[in-house]
Structures are given as structure tokens and as C-alpha cells.
Amino acid sequence: RCFAEGRVVVQDEGEAVNLYRQVADQGLPEAQHALGQCYAMGTGCVKNEKEAARLYKQAAEQGDALGQFALGRCFAGGRGVVQDDEKAVKLLRQAANQGSALGQYALGRCFAEGKGVPLDQTRAAKLYRQAGDQGLAGAQRE
């Protein structure tokens, strides 16, 4: 993270990707998610949404809430995977159930829009409130 954010060392996104890759290859879900973010945004590497989704999947399969959230968003938007609202909801629900504010907010959006689940404004409002109570600004505006 130091290389990615320029803390204590000169910022070097390419070196951050190399270090994330080394740790991700050892199976650490936080590094898999972080490396997935790099590929999703093209930070320190060539943008590759399929590789990002693959890395998010590795993290999600280990129960990592951020990996579940990120892979859920991939399925919701068809980024790096075939778009699938039901898979998106399943993953976002897993993240939300672990207390992830991002997962709660994204799942709330699914209920608010009826994407992958029946339209349910009451459930959406509850999820927004849970995310907002954790300080997630976007949820506080919903």
C-alpha cells in the first residue's frame, strides 16, 4: 500500500502491482482485492476487467466482503463477466451480511430498482440506513 499511495516511499503504482501480485499469489484475499482494483482501473498495469473479476472471485471465495462486493458489482454491470443480476445480488447479500457498508448500499440499490430481486423500497431504505449508520455518504443521501 505504501507504493500505491506514496506513503514513506515515492509513489510507484507499477511496484505496488508487483507487490500486490506476490501477496495475492500466496492467497491473501485483501491483496487479491487490491490487485483486482488495480486491473479494474488500469492503475500500475493495463486495464483488464476479466483479470479484475478473476481476482475478486478469489477473494470472494475466501469470504472477503470487499471481494464479494467488487465481484457483485462486476456481475451487476457485466464488467469482466457476463452480466447476471441474480449472481450480483447473491454476492452483494454475502457482503452486506458481513456488515459491509458498500455491500449494504449496493444491495439496497438492487431492491430500490428491482434488479435481481423484487422491488422493495422498505428493504432498500433499511439497507441504506445500515450503510449510512457506518458513515457511507452515498447511503446517507438516499
Side-chain angles (χ1 to χ4, degrees), residues 10 14 33 40 48 61 76 79 81 88-89 95 99 110 119 136:
V10 175
H33 173 263
N48 184 333
E61 286 176 343
R79 289 184 298 276
V81 294
V89 166
C110 292
L119 187 68
L136 188 64

Side-chain angles (χ1 to χ4, degrees), residues 101 104 126-136 139-140:
Q104 292 163 343
K126 180 180 177 186
L127 287 159
Y128 291 152
R129 195 171 316 106
Q130 289 173 341
D133 287 349
Q134 294 186 65
L136 188 64
Q140 293 170 342

Side-chain angles (χ1 to χ4, degrees), residues 60-132:
E61 286 176 343
Q62 294 183 68
D64 182 71
L66 283 175
Q68 293 162 342
F69 163 75
L71 185 58
R73 295 293 297 143
C74 288
F75 277 110
R79 289 184 298 276
V81 294
V82 174
Q83 195 274 335
D84 186 326
D85 288 337
E86 289 180 14
K87 285 183 181 178
V89 166
K90 179 182 177 186
L91 287 155
L92 295 173
R93 184 172 276 131
Q94 289 172 351
N97 287 343
Q98 290 192 65
S100 164
L102 292 169
Q104 292 163 343
Y105 177 72
L107 184 59
R109 294 287 307 262
C110 292
F111 278 103
E113 298 170 7
K115 294 190 83 170
V117 292
L119 187 68
D120 186 339
Q121 297 298 331
T122 302
R123 182 76 174 127
K126 180 180 177 186
L127 287 159
Y128 291 152
R129 195 171 316 106
Q130 289 173 341

